[in-house]
Amino acid sequence: MLPYLDFLIRNHSKKMAGCLNRSLGNMTTEPPPDLSPQAVLERQIHFYFMEVGVPVVCAFGLVGNLLNLLVLTKEKIHRSLTKMEKSAHLGLIGLAVSDFMFCLLALLFTLMPSQSNYTEQNAILYYEWLGSSLITVFIITSTWLIVVMAGERYLAVCHPFKARKIISLKKTKITIFLVYMLCMIFSIPLFFENILKKTKCVDNTVLYEITARKEYGRDMIALRRMIWALLFDFIPCAALLYFNACLIYKIHRAKKLRKQMVNGHDGNRCRFNSTTTSVTTPTSDPDLYSTVSSKTRSRLIKPKRKQSDNALNSVTATLVAVVVLFLILVSPSEVLKFIYTKVTNETHGKNYTLLMIKHVTNFMQALNFSVNFVLYCAVNKSFRKTLKNIFCFCDHHSTHYHRSHNDVKLGNMVPLFKNNVS
């Protein structure tokens, strides 16, 4: 995965001319902009996708990921979840934090004014220098969190007995922490690729410029990008494709078996009803009584088991949807960025076609980190229910209060001990 500095291409056609222009009273002129049809189209696509689309999507992602954190945290606290469900919720919470940080930093990066030179050391200068590397940290963190969650769900669905021994809340917390730490460690070289260059002009004005570090030659950067692409592009994509294919196959097979069982149950219902009797009072036969009790207990347990199965299926469907969205929106972007880097290193001048493709795929990548809220609402029923309860709590409380107040006012009070009223 390439640095976010490559992800966000800025339009520098109106930048400062530097010390020479300042010392000569801006007498020198910049070369005229390229007015070819491809260049004009590239600028238009850059404007709509990068300068308008990305900020809007990231602003929506800030709100959506905050709601994700609110709903997922509330579900984890107030719902009686199984160990597998709690583990999946922890992963989704960690993903929401990483996506929120990406949206926040990317929004700031796109909204801050861009300059080629700065006259003072301010926050905008330092964020222009280091912000792209910070954003990259959360891009790769979200990527590997999705891989970890898909791997856990693969174990839970395809190897349930092994999953009971491997998956635990403590191990999940440690894994999420390690993902964050390792992604930060692997991103450290990005912070040293550029330096601040201080230049003193003829009129004693000091200019600060962000330039590439000389020690980082083209061969070293190419090697780093090859390793980067392997660790954060191709290996995660291959793992997600495998995990998702297995999960989709298991879900399809489970639905098919469930349908066959339902059809078989309906066909044998009449025969089953004709050979069973209804027992309404305890019997003196202890064996028969224990049998009736066990049947009664099994009937009471079945709804709970069905509810747990539905919850696990909902979590699995949510994670499958997250992986599919990632493979559609992020994987093409990263592959094209890798190709783009190889092509631009071998050719001279701008390739406007590749730039236009990059603008569109960059927007797709930003979209991936911003729309999980919509995805959860569309796929996860319990998420929708919890979200509705959060926003409807005040209305529900107010309605309940007015209803109780009207009952008291009209004298329609219900006795507390209805059986004791003669």
Side-chain angles (χ1 to χ4, degrees):
M1 190 170 294
L2 303 184
Y4 195 78
L5 191 60
D6 296 333
F7 167 81
L8 196 60
I9 300 176
R10 297 180 180 272
N11 189 356
H12 295 295
S13 61
K14 295 183 180 180
K15 287 183 176 179
M16 299 168 59
C19 281
L20 181 61
N21 286 0
R22 295 173 64 90
S23 61
L24 297 178
N26 291 331
M27 292 177 61
T28 58
T29 58
E30 296 181 0
D34 189 356
L35 297 178
S36 63
Q38 274 196 333
V40 173
L41 181 60
E42 186 269 330
R43 289 172 189 162
Q44 291 177 348
I45 293 177
H46 178 272
F47 173 77
Y48 287 112
F49 281 93
M50 301 301 298
E51 298 183 19
V52 176
V54 170
V56 170
V57 166
C58 289
F60 176 81
L62 285 176
V63 179
N65 284 302
L66 277 177
L67 292 174
N68 290 341
L69 288 172
L70 182 63
V71 174
L72 293 171
T73 306
K74 187 177 179 64
E75 281 190 334
K76 184 176 179 295
I77 295 174
H78 294 285
R79 283 183 57 199
S80 56
L81 303 175
T82 64
K83 182 177 69 173
M84 298 295 181
E85 289 180 274
K86 288 181 179 179
S87 178
H89 271 72
L90 285 176
L92 293 175
I93 290 172
L95 180 64
V97 172
S98 181
D99 289 351
F100 175 83
M101 292 303 300
F102 167 86
C103 293
L104 176 62
L105 296 174
L107 182 63
L108 293 175
F109 202 87
T110 54
L111 295 181
M112 282 186 175
S114 175
Q115 298 177 209
S116 60
N117 301 293
Y118 294 83
T119 57
E120 59 181 354
Q121 295 183 0
N122 51 26
I124 297 177
L125 170 63
Y126 283 100
Y127 192 69
E128 181 84 15
W129 177 27
L130 303 173
S132 60
S133 301
L134 288 173
I135 295 171
T136 305
V137 171
F138 294 104
I139 291 178
I140 62 177
T141 299
S142 293
T143 300
W144 273 103
L145 284 176
I146 294 174
V147 174
V148 169
M149 288 190 296
E152 283 192 352
R153 187 51 33 185
Y154 164 77
L155 287 175
V157 174
C158 300
H159 306 282
F161 295 104
K162 292 182 180 179
R164 293 177 184 177
K165 299 179 180 179
I166 298 174
I167 299 176
S168 67
L169 294 179
K170 183 178 180 180
K171 291 180 181 178
T172 300
K173 292 177 182 178
I174 294 174
T175 303
I176 293 173
F177 176 78
L178 288 177
V179 168
Y180 270 90
M181 290 296 103
L182 290 176
C183 289
M184 289 181 184
I185 292 172
F186 275 101
S187 301
I188 289 177
L190 300 178
F191 292 90
F192 296 96
E193 287 191 357
N194 298 306
I195 59 173
L196 281 180
K197 182 180 179 181
K198 182 180 178 181
T199 305
K200 191 173 183 179
C201 301
V202 178
D203 56 354
N204 293 326
T205 303
V206 178
L207 294 181
Y208 299 93
E209 182 183 3
I210 302 172
T211 60
R213 188 181 292 271
K214 293 182 180 180
E215 293 82 359
Y216 278 38
R218 178 175 293 183
D219 294 336
M220 183 179 294
I221 293 178
L223 177 63
R224 197 268 303 162
R225 285 180 171 174
M226 285 291 295
I227 298 174
W228 199 268
L230 181 66
L231 292 178
F232 302 110
D233 293 338
F234 299 112
I235 291 178
C237 288
L240 290 175
L241 282 172
Y242 175 75
F243 292 148
N244 227 37
C246 295
L247 288 173
I248 292 174
Y249 171 75
K250 286 290 184 179
I251 291 173
H252 177 72
R253 185 179 178 185
K255 287 183 177 180
K256 187 176 180 180
L257 290 175
R258 189 180 297 112
K259 186 177 180 180
Q260 293 176 354
M261 292 175 64
V262 169
N263 292 335
H265 178 72
D266 292 339
N268 297 329
R269 182 176 295 175
C270 296
R271 185 177 62 182
F272 178 77
N273 290 336
S274 63
T275 57
T276 57
T277 58
S278 176
V279 179
T280 58
T281 57
T283 176
S284 58
D285 189 349
D287 295 333
L288 182 59
Y289 183 74
S290 62
T291 303
V292 174
S293 301
S294 63
K295 289 182 179 179
T296 305
R297 287 195 300 268
S298 64
R299 291 172 184 173
L300 293 174
I301 293 172
K302 280 182 180 179
K304 295 182 180 179
R305 185 178 299 170
K306 184 178 180 181
Q307 184 179 2
S308 177
D309 291 342
N310 291 335
L312 288 174
N313 293 334
S314 180
V315 171
T316 302
T318 301
L319 292 177
V320 168
V322 169
V323 173
V324 170
L325 188 71
F326 179 88
L327 292 174
I328 292 174
L329 295 179
V330 176
S331 298
S333 174
E334 295 308 318
V335 173
L336 285 172
K337 284 178 188 178
F338 182 77
I339 297 173
Y340 168 82
T341 305
K342 298 293 290 183
V343 171
T344 52
N345 286 340
E346 297 172 0
T347 59
H348 300 283
K350 286 187 176 181
N351 190 325
Y352 290 107
T353 302
L354 287 175
L355 285 176
M356 288 184 282
I357 294 174
K358 188 175 181 182
H359 296 329
V360 177
T361 54
N362 289 337
F363 172 78
M364 292 167 58
Q365 189 177 35
L367 192 65
N368 174 76
F369 297 98
S370 306
V371 297
N372 278 343
F373 171 74
V374 178
L375 196 67
Y376 298 160
C377 290
V379 176
N380 198 320
K381 185 178 179 180
S382 63
F383 185 92
R384 294 195 302 268
K385 185 177 179 181
T386 305
L387 181 68
K388 183 179 179 181
N389 291 337
I390 292 174
F391 283 98
C392 297
F393 175 75
C394 295
D395 294 337
H396 175 74
H397 180 74
S398 177
T399 303
H400 179 73
Y401 169 77
H402 287 299
R403 186 177 299 169
S404 302
H405 180 71
N406 292 334
D407 289 341
V408 173
K409 185 176 181 180
L410 296 174
N412 296 329
M413 299 184 64
V414 180
L416 294 178
F417 303 98
K418 192 177 291 186
N419 294 334
N420 294 336
V421 177
S422 56

